[in-house]
Amino acid sequence: GDIMTLVTDPDRIRSVFKKYSTNSTSLTCKQYKVAALAISGYKPSKAMVERLYRDLDLGDMMDVDTFTRVQLEQAKLRCTSETLKQIFQSFDRSCNGFISKSDFLRAVKEVMPSYSNSEN
C-alpha cells in the first residue's frame, strides 16, 4: 500500500512495537527512537523523545497502546504538514519560499473569484 497506509496501520505499528520492545510490553526512550524510525522513516531526537515521555508522564517505559496512539497522531501531523507545504508551494509562483503580495492576491482570486482589490 501507500506510505500513509503503512504508517497508520495499527497492526503494523503494534508489530513494530513488539519487535523493538522489552519483553513485548514496553519501549524505553532509546527503543522508541528506533521503532519510530522503522515506522515513519523519521528518527526523532533524544530531546524530543524525552519530552514526549515526560509530557505523557510515562516514566521510563511506553506501552503498546500509547505507542500506537502517538504514532497515529504523529502520522496525521506529518500529513497535515506536507499538505500545508504543498498548498503554500502552489501559491509561491516564483518558488522562492515567499508569497508576494501579487501571489497572495492571485491566490485569493482563485478561491474567491468575486473578490476585488481596491488597491489594484
Side-chain angles (χ1 to χ4, degrees), residues 83-93 97-99:
T83 302
L84 289 173
K85 184 177 178 183
Q86 290 172 356
I87 292 168
F88 178 88
Q89 289 172 336
S90 73
F91 293 125
D92 178 15
R93 300 288 170 114
F98 297 94
I99 297 177

Side-chain angles (χ1 to χ4, degrees), residues 5 15-16 34 58 60 64 67 79 89 91 100 105 109 112 115 117:
T5 301
S15 172
V16 169
V34 178
L58 298 175
D60 295 354
V64 67
F67 180 72
C79 179
Q89 289 172 336
F91 293 125
S100 67
L105 292 173
K109 286 187 181 196
M112 293 177 32
Y115 175 79
N117 178 12

Side-chain angles (χ1 to χ4, degrees), residues 12-39 44 49-50 52-54 56 58-71 74:
R12 182 171 178 277
I13 293 170
R14 287 185 191 90
S15 172
V16 169
F17 176 92
K18 200 173 204 177
K19 180 178 181 178
Y20 293 102
S21 65
T22 304
N23 301 326
S24 299
T25 60
S26 58
L27 290 173
T28 64
C29 288
K30 191 177 236 179
Q31 291 167 327
Y32 176 91
K33 286 172 58 173
V34 178
L37 175 64
I39 289 173
V49 174
E50 288 173 352
L52 173 67
Y53 274 58
R54 188 175 55 249
L56 295 175
L58 298 175
D60 295 354
M61 303 295 223
M62 180 181 290
D63 65 38
V64 67
D65 292 334
T66 304
F67 180 72
T68 302
R69 189 180 78 248
V70 167
Q71 291 308 304
Q74 290 182 349

Side-chain angles (χ1 to χ4, degrees), residues 96-111:
N96 64 359
F98 297 94
I99 297 177
S100 67
K101 182 178 178 182
S102 63
D103 289 339
F104 177 75
L105 292 173
R106 189 177 304 112
V108 169
K109 286 187 181 196
E110 282 181 30
V111 296

